[in-house]
Amino acid sequence: MTERPLRADARGNQERLLSVAAVAFARDGTQTSLKAVAKEAGVGVGTLYRHFPTREALVEAVYEHEVTVLCDAAAELLRALGPADALRGWMERFVDFMAAKHGMADLLRPVLLSEADRLHTRARLRAAIATLLDAGAAAGVIRPGVDANDVLMALGGVTMIAGEEGQRALATRLIDLLLHGVRAPGLTS
């Protein structure tokens, strides 16, 4: 049996719940009140539970939604910026994404421990990075052949070292170093 598509108002409720919950989980972690999430999203708590029957279901949906937003940002940034600036912008968003997930770490552990989910998420992130690297290589601003997985692992290291809110400037400097390493030879900025 296939699921019926959500009505526009239900889809809007779900989107608001996901957006509000992402901010709340990043801010308050596991102490986030689902009742407060529902209220801030402008819906009743029954609506929240109709969409997300458990706290874990909401956390997983928020994570999946945020990964989708991050991955979709690659194409959006390429449309708005040049390839090198799009890559930088995406890397900055990745660091912010990972820092925001810190508050959800305990609740996300079962999702992140699932090999299938981890591999699926990594594949999506690698594809977004590959899109940016390929566009940069085609424009002559990124070295051809840079491995998207290497860049993803380097970004993971940046977030481990400087993913906390008070270390944001360090994260930006580390992104600068990473970008310098992938730039095409002869480019200075």
Side-chain angles (χ1 to χ4, degrees):
M1 184 168 148
T2 60
E3 278 188 43
R4 292 183 324 184
L6 291 175
R7 294 184 333 257
D9 61 331
R11 200 171 39 255
N13 288 341
Q14 189 175 48
E15 287 291 321
R16 279 193 313 282
L17 283 165
L18 290 171
S19 295
V20 168
V23 172
F25 285 129
R27 181 186 59 229
D28 303 326
T30 58
Q31 304 305 313
T32 298
S33 160
L34 297 188
K35 190 174 183 179
V37 167
K39 183 177 180 181
E40 190 174 337
V43 301
V45 74
T47 298
L48 182 146
Y49 283 111
R50 203 169 19 263
H51 288 285
F52 311 104
T54 65
R55 177 181 296 271
E56 292 76 17
L58 178 58
V59 168
E60 190 171 341
V62 165
Y63 178 73
E64 181 66 28
H65 180 261
E66 295 294 302
V67 168
T68 298
V69 168
L70 178 62
C71 290
D72 290 351
E76 294 165 12
L77 288 166
L78 280 172
R79 282 191 295 275
L81 306 168
D85 289 336
L87 180 59
R88 165 182 280 297
W90 194 89
M91 289 177 168
E92 296 280 355
R93 287 183 185 199
F94 179 86
V95 169
D96 293 339
F97 164 80
M98 293 300 289
K101 299 307 149 255
H102 183 73
M104 297 183 350
D106 288 340
L107 292 170
L108 270 174
R109 190 162 280 111
V111 174
L112 297 176
L113 290 178
S114 160
E115 187 68 19
D117 288 333
R118 241 186 13 246
L119 292 175
H120 174 70
T121 298
R122 282 189 190 152
R124 292 175 65 198
L125 293 169
R126 271 194 309 272
I129 294 169
T131 297
L132 293 161
L133 292 172
D134 291 347
V141 296
I142 300 294
R143 285 188 295 116
V146 174
D147 187 287
N149 194 59
D150 292 348
V151 173
L152 179 59
M153 293 299 106
L155 282 172
V158 168
T159 62
M160 287 178 64
I161 294 167
E164 304 274 329
E165 187 176 317
Q167 298 174 315
R168 194 59 182 86
L170 174 58
T172 296
R173 290 193 309 273
L174 293 172
I175 287 172
D176 285 341
L177 286 172
L178 180 55
L179 285 169
H180 181 74
V182 301
R183 285 203 182 274
L187 294 178
T188 57
S189 62

